[in-house]
Amino acid sequence: MTLPADMIGGLRFAAIDFESAGAARGETDQPVQIGIAACPSLEGEPELWTSYISTDKPVLWSASQVHGITTEMLADAPSFPSLWPAIRSRLGDAVVVGHNPATERKFLRRFPGHGFGPWLDTLALGKMCVPGLPDYSLSTLCDSLGLTPSVDALLPGRRWHDALYDALGSLLVVRFLVRELKLSSQPLEVLGRALGK
């Protein structure tokens, strides 16, 4: 059954995550990896895309300890502006999903007037729909919902804090909660507080 385009089950979703170079006080942070997991509907197979991003500053040791990306790994990476067509084609006309996506929104503001959204925050969604967790990190949320093996199966060899792994985790959280709570035939607004402006 095809659902109307204004119902959750008829919407296109695209989850995004960035990893960054890290920034000392007073410096501007820069993205070093992007991952997008998108699907034309929550029932479709995720389309996965990732890229390293060149930076004009070294990756801080503290950031590298989190995501494993080093300055040397970015030597032949494309520039952030050159990735705009790929980003636009994946995020345009989609509900954009992120886990506490302040960083994602900040980096995307480098493309003025992109118009992406509405945004859906899986951190807020998790707090609404899965009360009582010890924390609401993406890994804890995915573990509690039994989703981590599915992320591992689709992205073997990757781990949390890889941009594509995190983006796929966010997308699968949305898919799982929409299915479990039978929200496909509801308008997106039913998710309330989890919708960002």
Side-chain angles (χ1 to χ4, degrees):
M1 175 178 85
T2 303
L3 289 163
D6 59 345
M7 296 295 127
I8 290 173
L11 296 172
R12 188 169 169 274
F13 287 80
I16 183 171
D17 186 75
F18 283 104
E19 298 302 325
S20 75
R25 177 172 281 171
E27 291 184 357
T28 302
D29 203 357
Q30 295 184 14
V32 295
Q33 186 192 27
I34 182 173
I36 298 176
C39 55
S41 76
L42 286 175
E43 297 306 315
E45 281 301 307
E47 300 161 2
L48 307 175
W49 175 80
T50 189
S51 178
Y52 287 130
I53 303 168
S54 65
T55 177
D56 58 9
K57 59 182 261 183
V59 178
L60 294 184
W61 179 86
S62 56
S64 185
Q65 291 304 296
V66 173
H67 51 55
I69 300 167
T70 64
T71 304
E72 294 71 30
M73 293 166 68
L74 307 176
D76 298 318
S79 70
F80 193 29
S82 74
L83 295 174
W84 169 241
I87 295 168
R88 182 181 58 210
S89 70
R90 288 166 173 84
L91 299 186
D93 300 319
V95 177
V96 183
V97 178
H99 194 75
N100 193 22
T103 297
E104 286 66 36
R105 295 175 79 155
K106 174 184 75 175
F107 286 147
L108 289 174
R109 278 197 284 273
R110 295 191 188 172
F111 303 111
H114 61 67
F116 297 141
W119 284 79
L120 182 60
D121 180 0
T122 53
L123 173 63
L125 187 63
K127 288 179 177 179
M128 281 171 47
C129 300
V130 192
L133 294 183
D135 66 74
Y136 285 88
S137 66
L138 185 56
S139 60
T140 297
L141 184 57
C142 285
D143 285 349
S144 74
L145 299 176
L147 298 174
T148 303
S150 297
V151 184
D152 285 337
L154 288 167
L155 293 171
R158 294 182 184 253
R159 61 181 176 87
W160 296 115
H161 301 297
D162 170 90
L164 185 57
Y165 194 97
D166 288 1
L168 180 59
S170 291
L171 185 68
L172 295 185
V173 165
V174 174
R175 173 186 281 179
F176 178 88
L177 292 175
V178 166
R179 286 177 178 169
E180 287 298 303
L181 301 174
K182 300 181 175 24
L183 299 176
S184 287
S185 61
Q186 298 295 315
L188 189 62
E189 291 72 30
V190 77
L191 298 176
R193 298 191 313 270
L195 287 172
K197 302 295 182 212

